[in-house]
Amino acid sequence: MSAAWLYPLILIAGALQAWGPPMNGALREAVTNPWLASTISFLPVVAFMGLLFLCMPRPFPTADGVAGMPWWAPLGGIVGSFAVICGLIFVNKVGAGAFAGLTITANILMSLLIDHFGMFGMEQHSLNLWRVLGGALMVAGVALVALF
């Protein structure tokens, strides 16, 4: 079965991600404290995920699965929270376009390294001229967005 039907959903998810930093920036402006704003921002996510788990509690993890989990696996949320906190604090200073461009470009460049080295259990996809060129074009594009 082709995964092509996933691409529209992924594009929608990416478009919705652009809403997060400006919404969080408005939240920070309203409550002033960026740490309180971060907490408020995460509470609906925790509530929503908790509700989904209550509605669909299976499958449960196995003891072998948990025991075999890499130490860094549960830290993805903390890593992601750094981007949320940066959005809360900085999006109003640099603008939504520059903020999104910088974070997306940094994401692409780091993803190229993750792919190249097969980090975090990912299948290895070696760097080649076209992938490097794509990363360079991202850098050039975000420079244009940020500067103008």
Side-chain angles (χ1 to χ4, degrees):
M1 172 189 245
S2 171
W5 67 273
L6 295 174
Y7 289 101
L9 294 175
I10 294 168
L11 288 170
I12 291 168
L16 290 174
Q17 272 188 317
W19 293 11
M23 294 167 89
N24 285 330
L27 175 63
R28 188 195 56 80
E29 290 290 323
V31 300
T32 307
N33 185 316
W35 313 119
L36 176 60
S38 296
T39 302
I40 292 169
S41 178
F42 282 107
L43 285 177
V45 175
V46 172
F48 180 68
M49 290 295 122
L51 184 62
L52 284 178
F53 175 72
L54 289 174
C55 292
M56 297 178 281
R58 294 201 178 19
F60 284 118
T62 64
D64 288 341
V66 173
M69 176 177 61
W71 68 267
W72 42 261
L75 301 179
I78 296 262
V79 171
S81 72
F82 185 72
V84 171
I85 292 166
C86 284
L88 278 159
I89 298 171
F90 303 128
V91 72
N92 293 342
K93 293 176 176 41
V94 300
F99 184 83
L102 289 165
T103 57
I104 292 166
T105 300
N107 186 306
I108 292 292
L109 296 176
M110 182 55 70
S111 295
L112 289 172
L113 291 176
I114 290 168
D115 279 351
H116 180 73
F117 293 108
M119 298 165 63
F120 306 111
M122 297 299 297
E123 184 179 326
Q124 186 176 4
H125 298 276
S126 297
L127 283 175
N128 60 40
L129 175 65
W130 299 112
R131 296 185 111 211
V132 171
L133 180 61
L137 289 171
M138 290 289 296
V139 170
V142 77
L144 291 173
V145 169
L147 293 173
F148 302 104

